[in-house]
Amino acid sequence: MIRFDIPDDETLLLRDTAERFVADHYGLAQRNVMLEQPPEQVPPHWGEMAELGWLAAAVPEAAGGLGLSAAQLVPMLEVLGRGLVLEPVGPVAMKCAATLARALPDAGAELEPILSGERIALVAEGAPGAPVSAVKTGGALVLSGVAPLVMAGPWAQVFWVVAELDGAPVLMRIPAEAADVTPVRLVDGQVAARVCFDGVRCAQEDVVTGCAEALAYGRDMALVGVLAEMSGLVDALHGATLDYVKLREQFGRAIGRFQVVQHRMSEMFIRREEVHSMARLAAEAMEGDDAAFRGKLVSAARVKIAKDARVVMRDAVQLHGGIGVTDELAVGHMLKRLLVLSQVEGGRASHLKRFRALIGL
Amino acid sequence: MTDLLNSPEDMAFRKEIRDFVAAELDPDTRAKVVRGAPLVRDDFMMWHRSLYQKGWAAPGWPKEHGGPGWSARQRLIADEELFRLHTPPLPGFGFKMIGPILMRFGSTAQQQRFLPRILSGEDWWCQGFSETGAGSDLAALRTRAERTKGGWLISGSKTWTTYAQYANWIFCLVRTDPDVKKQEGISMMLVDMSAPGLTRRGIRLMDGTEEVNEIFLDQVFVPDDMVVGEINMGWTYAKALLEHERLGIGGIGRSKHLLERAREMARAAGCEAEPEIADALAEFEIDIMAIEATTLRLMAAAEAGVRIGAETSLLKIRGTETQQGLTELMLDIAGPSALPARDSGATEEPFENVAFQFMNWRKLSIYGGSNEIQRSILASQVLGL
């Protein structure tokens, strides 16, 4: 049920902790140093994030997690998004752990080292229309195909590969050393990998069948994480631009005194509010058993937020003027992060298509 | 259509409304609303009487004044269902404007005299705010009231007065002190439409209807007990209106009604599956969802004690953009079928009012503070620019 309750104490505590973390570790200069690290190196604060409980937050208590709702995580993820953190909280906690908690009958043992930060496990998937395929050979399965862009891929010890077996999706547990992992630096400096599986053998006990529902849930949950980060970034761009138009003077007065600028800021404010609402709506939709309702709301939120984010990116740069296109302000870094988040977990077009199908159009 | 409010209690409440409408709504009235045809006094009054007898005429009023005692959530659901079920949307000048003003600022005598008659429909109120020289700059109004024995004499004119031809009372903003800052010399007065010196002229609109009027006041006498609150406080009272029922101004019910209508038209025209049309229908559904989600979020915050102010202007902006956008999509769907005039004998269901609605609903982004004014309000009051 959609409620939009105001944040409870647990939610605020998570958010406040994240704010302190970002303030301590993620100044722009500190972050620039981290971006210079070789792509194979895990960013330095992973262990601390695990200790803070961020990786376990969304996992049910029965599987060893904290059992918080997606809605309770949104404000924390907004802070991590606007903070431009480089550790893969989204891919590990919101995607991989959420998927495994649903897909594995007894997920606790597998999740324990993941939630404690000891092991990085990621979901790896083929491109749309080009799934990784599995074939039965004797007692084992053989895996072939490419996952073209796995976020944080070089840091994984384990891949949970979504493969197609006899026309149905299965999850297969593959140690990273069995795959061919090529680091890929993304436009915003984040690290991903192209992961190739060339005849990788996988024992029967490492294959999970009947997991279509868990995969769909995990994809939606991952998207909720992405949308929450985008919401934080949109809010930060709005705030930075508002501050700037109040300070920047031309023609003898702050440019925010000009009506044309005021109306563009109003438009950006409206979009920020819509993004804020839709990120929460998507998170609330994760509760309950109605997968079609959940899918509709999550995809709707993706479509809306992607569109709004583009306008906010554009206007944030435009209203900053020349300084907005430099690498010196956080604005450019936020724009690049938003670009990345807009393209992963299914972009605007694919979710509009899914939404259309779900409403019978 | 995706309804966000769908808990078991919500669904039970929806059913209660559906059952009531199924039993009470006149089929001819319903058909007019479905087609988007212009409505006249009887269409509104018949439906008003049904709602009144049920105790649902004024959803936003507190129980002691005859409201149904609904929660904000229930009011949103009721609004949505009543639109969806093609009931006539009742004009809000009594329920949403002068009623709440009198509850807050009126004398006990004014409340006792007028509130029950608003509820029952015995009185039809219209609003005398805008003037030819005072639209967006409402405080520039020049209609003046001068002191006379036992009351005031009003002279001047008002315009864009919706449904004044049906009204027996008008609440007016008038200038009572020309020598102070323009906002500080305005008072609110209640004027009997049959008072000597008051005349009305209908304004024919481009869609052929006469929804609005000009009102001329020539030395119209208003007794002291028909002044609302204190003299020279009218601007404050009018502004307080902006805070009443603001969560409803997104017009979610109206938007969903229009979207359902557009989808029916697309089906009738055989273009529902064309990518341009299907994408547009889907995106409007998402846009409406965003307005609804924002409304619910602000409502939850208000219930938790957070003060919600001018940010609700965004609901008006997005709501009206969506509704006007839907009238344009209907034109795209209808093609030349939108063209025959209403009385041409050549109209084609369901497209007969498509052009009419495009024209008629231009007003949405103009009245109640134009969307440009709403943006300036956001900039100054919310963003501090």
Side-chain angles (χ1 to χ4, degrees):
Chain A
M1 176 176 137
I2 302 302
R3 305 168 53 92
F4 285 105
D5 286 335
I6 58 161
D8 60 11
D9 290 345
E10 273 175 307
T11 308
L12 295 176
L13 183 66
L14 270 175
R15 184 200 64 188
D16 294 349
T17 310
E19 272 173 359
R20 273 196 304 278
F21 173 90
V22 166
D24 288 347
H25 299 309
Y26 267 94
L28 212 49
Q30 288 167 299
R31 184 174 180 273
N32 284 340
V33 173
M34 291 184 237
L35 287 176
E36 297 296 318
Q37 290 178 343
E40 293 78 12
Q41 195 173 326
V42 180
H45 307 295
W46 187 241
E48 189 179 343
M49 290 180 167
E51 276 166 36
L52 289 169
W54 294 350
L55 309 183
V59 172
E61 283 170 301
L66 301 179
L68 299 181
S69 70
Q72 286 176 298
L73 303 186
V74 167
M76 172 194 86
L77 292 165
E78 284 177 331
V79 173
L80 298 185
R82 66 173 1 190
L84 299 166
V85 303
L86 297 166
E87 288 79 358
V89 176
V92 173
M94 298 301 282
K95 182 152 197 185
C96 190
T99 306
L100 295 181
R102 288 228 162 183
L104 304 180
D106 179 23
E110 182 63 32
L111 282 171
E112 199 276 319
I114 300 173
L115 304 187
S116 70
E118 252 169 82
R119 177 195 297 160
I120 291 182
L122 299 168
V123 174
E125 241 176 309
V132 177
S133 68
V135 287
K136 282 193 182 111
T137 321
L141 292 169
V142 176
L143 202 57
S144 301
V146 178
L149 202 72
V150 180
M151 298 296 289
W155 308 328
Q157 281 89 42
V158 171
F159 292 112
W160 283 89
V161 183
V162 182
E164 208 172 273
L165 175 69
D166 302 330
V170 294
L171 266 171
M172 302 171 73
R173 186 184 192 282
I174 305 290
E177 57 269 21
D180 179 13
V181 180
T182 312
V184 179
R185 185 75 76 176
L186 303 183
V187 289
D188 70 336
Q190 284 195 92
V191 175
R194 177 181 171 86
V195 184
C196 299
F197 306 96
D198 185 11
V200 176
R201 293 179 70 83
C202 176
Q204 275 294 358
E205 63 266 28
D206 287 334
V207 179
V208 184
T209 54
C211 56
E213 189 278 332
L215 286 171
Y217 176 86
R219 283 192 192 108
D220 282 342
M221 191 66 154
L223 188 49
V224 166
V226 165
L227 297 178
E229 283 193 50
M230 291 181 78
S231 172
L233 284 158
V234 163
D235 181 55
L237 279 178
H238 171 266
T241 311
L242 183 57
D243 288 345
Y244 186 75
V245 302
K246 286 177 178 176
L247 282 175
R248 169 72 174 166
E249 289 192 6
Q250 289 288 274
F251 305 102
R253 53 181 167 158
I255 60 171
R257 300 281 307 278
F258 293 101
Q259 195 176 54
V260 67
V261 174
Q262 292 178 349
H263 284 199
R264 284 185 85 153
M265 284 309 302
S266 304
E267 181 64 24
M268 196 189 290
F269 168 76
I270 294 173
R271 290 184 189 269
R272 183 193 75 157
E273 292 294 303
E274 288 178 328
V275 167
H276 198 77
S277 302
M278 291 307 266
R280 279 156 183 74
L281 184 68
E284 295 213 8
M286 296 307 294
E287 305 299 311
D289 307 321
D290 186 345
F293 184 69
R294 182 190 80 210
K296 258 199 294 195
L297 269 52
V298 170
S299 282
R302 164 50 116 192
V303 173
K304 187 75 186 163
I305 290 175
K307 191 171 186 173
D308 282 343
R310 276 189 197 154
V311 179
V312 172
M313 280 188 260
R314 258 170 15 207
D315 278 7
V317 172
Q318 180 68 23
L319 291 170
H320 273 85
I323 193 78
V325 296
T326 68
D327 200 41
E328 289 166 35
L329 291 190
V331 170
H333 295 278
M334 290 179 184
L335 177 144
K336 288 187 277 188
R337 180 72 164 234
L338 273 173
L339 278 180
V340 169
L341 292 168
S342 299
Q343 309 294 108
V344 297
E345 298 303 334
R348 201 184 116 71
S350 73
H351 281 280
L352 182 58
K353 192 172 162 192
R354 180 189 185 211
F355 182 79
R356 265 177 57 176
L358 285 167
I359 64 169
L361 270 172
Chain B
M1 178 71 52
T2 313
D3 291 328
L4 299 183
L5 300 180
N6 62 2
S7 74
E9 300 79 51
D10 296 335
M11 296 317 278
F13 185 61
R14 285 182 195 276
K15 181 169 185 309
E16 196 184 338
I17 292 171
R18 285 173 192 171
D19 290 346
F20 167 74
V21 173
E24 290 288 326
L25 182 61
D26 170 59
D28 291 340
T29 310
R30 181 181 182 280
K32 278 171 94 169
V33 178
V34 170
R35 298 200 313 270
L39 302 173
V40 294
R41 186 176 198 280
D42 282 351
D43 298 318
F44 293 120
M45 284 316 301
M46 262 186 359
W47 182 238
H48 185 147
R49 268 195 296 276
S50 298
L51 287 171
Y52 173 63
Q53 278 155 14
K54 180 73 176 173
W56 289 356
W61 287 18
K63 238 177 161 154
E64 70 260 31
H65 289 303
W70 287 340
S71 66
R73 187 175 176 109
Q74 285 176 311
R75 293 208 293 278
L76 279 182
I77 292 173
D79 182 66
E80 191 174 298
E81 287 298 328
L82 291 175
F83 262 111
R84 166 172 301 161
L85 299 165
H86 311 295
T87 67
L90 299 184
F93 302 105
F95 301 130
K96 293 185 181 169
M97 304 188 81
I98 192 62
I101 288 183
L102 291 180
M103 282 176 214
R104 195 158 156 203
F105 304 109
S107 67
T108 310
Q110 286 169 348
Q111 291 177 4
Q112 284 172 352
R113 174 169 176 185
F114 291 116
L115 294 181
R117 295 170 61 91
I118 292 172
L119 207 58
S120 68
E122 280 166 273
D123 286 341
W124 185 306
W125 283 87
C126 61
Q127 180 206 53
F129 282 12
S130 296
E131 300 178 6
T132 45
S136 287
D137 184 11
L138 182 60
L141 60 90
R142 295 172 61 182
T143 295
R144 65 187 189 280
E146 282 169 350
R147 197 74 189 116
T148 186
K149 191 165 174 284
W152 299 80
L153 289 172
I154 304 183
S155 294
S157 69
K158 294 289 175 182
T159 192
W160 313 129
T161 315
T162 303
Y163 295 134
Q165 64 267 46
Y166 304 147
N168 55 339
W169 284 90
I170 179 170
F171 54 99
C172 290
L173 289 179
V174 295
R175 186 155 304 286
T176 37
D177 188 344
D179 301 323
V180 291
K181 199 178 153 220
K182 61 184 180 180
Q183 288 86 355
E184 289 165 9
I186 294 172
S187 300
M188 190 179 288
M189 296 185 183
L190 311 175
V191 185
D192 186 337
M193 290 288 284
S194 62
L198 187 152
T199 50
R200 175 190 75 80
R201 187 181 78 83
I203 300 173
R204 191 174 162 85
L205 301 178
M206 67 173 155
D207 64 19
T209 62
E210 284 192 12
E211 275 182 357
V212 294
N213 300 269
E214 282 182 287
I215 303 291
F216 303 97
L217 303 119
D218 180 16
Q219 302 272 303
V220 174
F221 177 70
V222 174
D224 280 327
D225 62 358
M226 289 296 120
V227 174
V228 177
E230 292 171 43
I231 286 294
N232 293 333
M233 287 294 286
W235 187 254
T236 306
Y237 304 153
K239 267 200 345 194
L241 252 190
L242 298 176
E243 285 161 25
H244 183 81
E245 287 278 316
R246 287 281 282 182
L247 286 173
I249 61 173
I252 300 159
R254 171 179 280 148
S255 296
K256 287 189 176 179
H257 164 83
L258 281 173
L259 176 57
E260 275 173 14
R261 188 77 184 132
R263 212 170 150 175
E264 281 164 26
M265 286 182 191
R267 225 170 283 143
C271 64
E272 198 191 18
E274 281 176 22
E276 297 78 11
I277 301 297
D279 277 355
L281 288 167
E283 291 219 45
F284 274 118
E285 182 155 343
I286 291 169
D287 287 343
I288 295 168
M289 205 185 280
I291 298 168
E292 187 170 4
T294 303
T295 302
L296 296 178
R297 186 165 63 77
L298 293 175
M299 189 175 82
E303 280 171 358
V306 179
R307 199 182 162 278
I308 304 298
E311 50 270 56
T312 52
S313 284
L314 82 90
L315 301 175
K316 203 234 168 195
I317 294 170
R318 280 297 190 259
T320 55
E321 284 174 350
T322 300
Q323 290 150 14
Q324 292 181 336
L326 280 164
T327 67
E328 291 173 38
L329 178 60
M330 288 179 189
L331 284 169
D332 291 342
I333 291 168
S337 304
L339 297 181
R342 246 195 322 253
D343 54 2
S344 65
T347 57
E348 228 183 292
E349 251 306 288
F351 309 111
E352 62 181 44
N353 289 299
V354 166
F356 160 75
Q357 290 211 324
F358 172 77
M359 290 185 268
N360 187 263
W361 286 9
R362 298 291 93 209
K363 68 190 176 191
L364 293 173
S365 54
I366 300 170
Y367 67 32
S370 71
N371 284 11
E372 288 70 29
I373 291 290
Q374 304 292 344
R375 283 180 197 276
S376 291
I377 288 173
L378 285 176
S380 67
Q381 295 186 30
V382 180
L383 301 180
L385 289 173

